[in-house]
Amino acid sequence: MSCSMNGPAVYELPSAPASWRIALPHTAAAVPVARALVRTALAELEHGADCDTAELLTAELVANAVEHTTGESPIELVVELMPSGCQVEVHDGDPAPPGDLTCPAGGPPDPWQEHGRGLLLIRTLSSSCGHRPTESGKAVWFRLPLVPAQRRPSV
């Protein structure tokens, strides 16, 4: 569903990256807020990345950060829109790498198990993903490519 405003469009697809950055609480309440932010960021610029996949993978990253890191420090969500696609990062205060995001240990996780599916989804559905240290902990990220215009759903 899209809404239109009267008057000229305020946003245009940038040639340089445009980014959104927001602090989220270190609770499960962060997950729906993060999903909404990603959907809004992609929709407002009529960006060509797959909104549903971006939302799903963002929810997994945020839920993972809430579940597997301790402390009260907020989680930070960064959404970067580029001409080639989008990158979503979730920053948390724990420097430990995020489990099996890039190299699964002991083979693929059982898809029927309660835990371990989130990182499998991110590895499978993103064009690339990874993690990097930050001054206050780590950032876990994924990238999605643009969806060709002819494959986008018409609104």
Side-chain angles (χ1 to χ4, degrees), residues 66-100:
V66 169
E67 184 178 350
H68 296 293
T69 62
T70 56
E72 297 298 311
S73 59
I75 293 164
E76 193 171 41
L77 175 69
V78 179
V79 182
E80 194 168 5
L81 305 182
M82 301 164 283
S84 59
C86 72
Q87 177 170 303
V88 176
E89 284 189 341
V90 174
H91 296 234
D92 63 58
D94 184 351
D100 60 351

Side-chain angles (χ1 to χ4, degrees), residues 71 83 88 103 145-146:
V88 176
C103 45
L146 291 178

Side-chain angles (χ1 to χ4, degrees), residues 61 88 98 101-102 122 126 128-132 139-143:
L61 279 191
V88 176
L101 181 66
T102 48
I122 292 163
S126 67
S128 59
C129 60
H131 57 88
R132 61 182 174 81
V140 186
W141 57 270
F142 68 84
R143 289 187 188 129

Side-chain angles (χ1 to χ4, degrees), residues 3-12 44 46:
C3 57
S4 60
M5 299 180 351
N6 293 332
V10 179
Y11 299 101
E12 292 178 3
E44 281 197 344
E46 295 181 358

Side-chain angles (χ1 to χ4, degrees), residues 24-34 62 66:
L24 300 170
H26 199 283
T27 68
V31 175
V33 175
V62 172
V66 169

